[in-house]
Amino acid sequence: MSTYAKKQGFGATLWDFMTTVDHKKIAILYLISGGLFFILGGLEAVFIRIQLAIPDNNFMSAGIFNEMITMHGTTMIFLAAMPILLGIMNAVMPLQIGARDVAFPFLNSLGFWLFFFGGVVLNLSWFLGGAPDAGWTSYASLAIHSEGHGVDFYVLGLQISGFGTLIAGINFLVTIINMRTPGMTYMRMPMFTWTTFVVSALILFAFPPLTVGLFLLLFDRMFGANFFDVAAGGNTIIWEHLFWIFGHPEVYILILPAFGIFSEIFSTFSRKRLFGYSSMVFATVLIGFLGFMVWAHHMFTVGLGPIANAIFAIATMAIAVPTGIKIFNWIFTMWGGSVTFTVPMLYAVSFIPSFTMGGVTGIMLGAAPADYQYHDSYFVVAHFHYVIVGGVVLGILAGVTYYWPKMFGTMLNETLGKFTFWLFLIGFHLTFFVQHFLGLMGMPRRVFTYLPGQGWETSNLISSIGAIFMSVGIIILLINIVITSVKNVRVGNDPWGDGRTLEWAIPSPPPFYNFKQLPLVRGLDAYWIEKMEGKKEMTPAEPLDDIHMPNGSIIPICITIGLFIAAFGALYNMDNKTWSVPVIIIGLLITFGSMLVRSLKDDHGFHIHKEELMDDKDKEVKA
Amino acid sequence: MTNQQSNSANPNLNLAFRRKQNAEEMKHQVITFAMMIFFTVIAFVMVAMDSISSWFTIPVILLLAAIQVIFQLYYFMHMKHKGHETIALFIYSGLTVGLITVLVFLTIVWL
């Protein structure tokens, strides 16, 4: 019984997606909304590069420029990269461990809607009196003095979307710990599942400090508290610590799933087992742990003292070790393998040098004395774009191309994919390579313009031209998606031909219950093992039986809309608007009322009966 | 999670063994409970006695508190049983992250 083959009207499809608790549909929601925010953040980047293309440019004012850089950073990190990665995790991880859904399908949907409406709150600031303008780090010394409501939008938007991310992280942890199929031990989990696991733990530990920091900032700005106001006895450095205690693990939250995606791609397209699997697992866990012990390397110039700087510098250097282990393992995976250069593989191969360059400048920045030279210059901008674009964005593009057939049942066009790849890669290096030298020549980051005659003109122009290349690459990707969806050529279980893990053993896209019978896993790369023994599918681990499935629900959206309304009440409360308190109360009533309904109304889900699951083959076996 | 359960429907299976185990469990709980009360009494007495310096009292009370938390987790919340490895891993990683933060704040932010 396949529901997805039925033709539905637009309204029915919309309602289906609004109420869905199916991890595969939530993955699509994450991908679409993350993709929209990615385009928004990309447009902001293009505007920044237009403004900086020539000296003394007046394409936009200094104030608008500050809003652009703040929203570019915030959007790309919180609303584009992380949701798209959460989308890929949602689509793939339950399939890789042989589960029928995540552990808490209702919370999965709630997590998505919280992220989405948080992002909407943040971006509505453009239309309601100006976007946040204190940088994506929103340092308190600047943020508490920011005029207008921009920073309030930042605080409330991130607070709401942060709840969503935290919920998603906890959900994935419980799923991986409890819902692995028989035989799927921890050390047989695919690398992407392992990185999802470690990333979820990082989300669990890293987001609470951000929540605390945002609440303190909220109280400072809206209720006259003085946590960060030095004149009133506060300490503005506490925000920097809280932000980076969250912020440094956050960059690992972004890069580790990309590592996982690349690990899958390398072994698939080299037709080899991932080299040094157990050391890869060890390195991932170690990066996760060390990620919490290095945050002060963002604050070397604050004046923490030589001892603190030295300790954090050494801890930072230590991270290079597990990362190096990973780089060499990927290279050794390709070594002696039968390598095919499909689009995902091209991304993966180009990722190694691109990301390593970002890693090397990271070591340079991590050396505390040298950091005084690089700090707040374009060198830093070049560094983190090399790791985030050269690592995370290449990972996202690779992952989306690689898992597109599993998510949508169609293959993206390889030729157009190669155009996107080359344009994006060349554009990326054009844009950011020269920025290293701009930084070393003294160009500070976050300046809205610069004077001619300092030797910065040519490099800035090259940088802006690179941005055009990247934009064209992404436009071709969008065209590719449209063409592929219109043509709608369906593919089979294992469209790349060399799938190794469980997700390739089931149809693309999988039926809504994923596995008719849970598969039996007999080792790492479970599907590959069966293929090597000449089998076409996995051995079932259980007899065919009724499957218990959760019901869809509109309540997650109701809970979120309540918070969305309350956020606007809180925002305008400091203007002494009379309507603000009732709006907060109405919003919270909607939220807690929806939660109450959810708690009191029993929802036991439904069963798919085994008679419905039987196809002709099964019936013959029965008879 | 508590691995002491029998997977047989027969209630008399291993009855003697399970009774013995439950008695053992009960004994542990009574001992830890008595010790926890004893620790609490020590804490109160130390605070009440003016002759003991607070530089001695405070660390001792903190130490007793830490031991009580461990008793609570391992004996009353069954963390000593099998099947709690993941939970222990997450408790200790969270503790590490939290304590590093507190340590850094104590050394370079507040003092």
Side-chain angles (χ1 to χ4, degrees), chain A residues 164-210:
Chain A
T165 311
L166 192 55
I167 287 174
I170 293 170
N171 206 347
F172 289 151
L173 279 177
V174 179
T175 307
I176 295 175
I177 292 172
N178 288 332
M179 296 181 65
R180 283 165 292 129
T181 194
M184 177 65 79
T185 60
Y186 280 109
M187 289 312 277
R188 286 177 185 174
M189 291 196 314
M191 207 52 220
F192 182 66
T193 300
W194 255 112
T195 54
T196 304
F197 185 60
V198 174
V199 161
S200 306
L202 292 186
I203 289 176
L204 177 65
F205 294 137
F207 269 74
L210 177 71

Side-chain angles (χ1 to χ4, degrees), chain A residues 173 177 201 205 235 238 241 245 289 292-293 295 308 312, chain B residues 86 89-90 93-94 96-97 100-101 104-105 108-110:
Chain A
L173 279 177
I177 292 172
F205 294 137
N235 187 344
I238 290 177
H241 278 290
I245 290 172
F289 265 104
F292 281 97
M293 299 169 196
W295 77 86
F312 281 103
Chain B
T86 324
L89 175 74
F90 274 85
S93 356
T96 314
V97 172
I100 287 175
T101 307
V104 170
F105 271 58
I108 61 176
V109 182
W110 291 327

Side-chain angles (χ1 to χ4, degrees), chain A residues 266-575:
Chain A
F266 276 122
S267 62
T268 303
F269 295 110
S270 305
R271 293 171 59 89
K272 266 179 74 188
R273 203 190 118 129
L274 187 67
F275 188 93
Y277 170 80
S278 42
S279 70
M280 285 297 248
V281 171
F282 167 76
T284 309
V285 176
L286 194 62
I287 290 175
F289 265 104
L290 290 175
F292 281 97
M293 299 169 196
V294 297
W295 77 86
H297 68 210
H298 299 268
M299 304 165 57
F300 279 151
T301 57
V302 160
L304 307 173
I307 296 174
N309 276 6
I311 292 172
F312 281 103
I314 290 167
T316 306
M317 304 291 159
I319 292 198
V321 177
T323 317
I325 293 176
K326 282 178 159 288
I327 297 280
F328 281 108
N329 279 336
W330 287 318
I331 295 173
F332 286 137
T333 305
M334 287 187 287
W335 191 20
S338 126
V339 180
T340 29
F341 285 99
T342 57
V343 174
M345 189 62 174
L346 284 172
Y347 282 115
V349 172
S350 68
F351 148 82
I352 290 183
S354 307
F355 183 79
T356 307
M357 285 168 73
V360 170
T361 51
I363 296 287
M364 292 170 73
L365 287 162
D371 182 69
Y372 277 79
Q373 295 302 312
Y374 312 132
H375 192 84
D376 261 346
S377 75
Y378 257 80
F379 191 80
V380 179
V381 178
H383 157 71
F384 68 69
H385 280 96
Y386 258 85
V387 282
I388 292 196
V389 183
V392 183
V393 177
L394 289 185
I396 285 173
L397 293 174
V400 167
T401 321
Y402 182 57
Y403 288 117
W404 192 270
K406 195 43 69 184
M407 289 177 80
F408 297 98
T410 51
M411 280 287 250
L412 287 175
N413 184 304
E414 282 279 297
T415 317
L416 286 176
K418 281 175 185 164
F419 273 111
T420 303
F421 164 75
W422 285 111
L423 283 168
F424 194 86
L425 187 76
I426 294 170
F428 155 63
H429 282 283
L430 267 184
T431 308
F432 297 110
F433 188 71
V434 287
Q435 291 186 1
H436 292 113
F437 302 101
L438 275 175
L440 296 177
M441 285 189 275
M443 181 165 166
R445 66 191 278 209
R446 290 172 172 157
V447 288
F448 88 105
T449 191
Y450 52 93
L451 292 173
Q454 301 179 88
W456 300 348
E457 290 98 328
T458 323
S459 303
N460 269 306
L461 189 62
I462 293 173
S463 195
S464 298
I465 292 169
I468 299 172
F469 275 69
M470 283 198 275
S471 313
V472 176
I474 295 297
I475 291 169
I476 293 179
L477 176 68
L478 294 176
I479 295 171
N480 193 352
I481 290 173
V482 171
I483 291 178
T484 310
S485 309
V486 170
K487 275 191 189 159
N488 201 18
V489 184
R490 312 307 293 182
V491 294
N493 292 4
D494 186 11
W496 297 106
D498 291 319
R500 307 176 71 83
T501 40
L502 283 179
E503 72 268 32
W504 306 110
I506 51 174
S508 322
F512 67 102
Y513 46 82
N514 292 354
F515 297 92
K516 201 185 287 183
Q517 292 159 287
L518 293 183
L520 180 71
V521 171
R522 301 192 292 145
L524 181 64
D525 294 337
Y527 185 40
W528 185 258
I529 293 177
E530 306 295 328
K531 278 203 243 178
M532 287 300 104
E533 293 183 2
K535 293 181 190 156
K536 293 267 184 280
E537 52 190 19
M538 300 297 299
T539 315
E542 57 172 17
L544 191 62
D545 205 352
D546 294 0
I547 296 175
H548 185 209
M549 295 300 289
N551 283 325
S553 170
I554 192 70
I555 294 177
I557 290 196
C558 300
I559 293 177
T560 313
I561 284 177
L563 285 179
F564 180 76
I565 295 170
F568 283 95
L571 242 158
Y572 289 102
N573 190 34
M574 66 188 212
D575 296 345

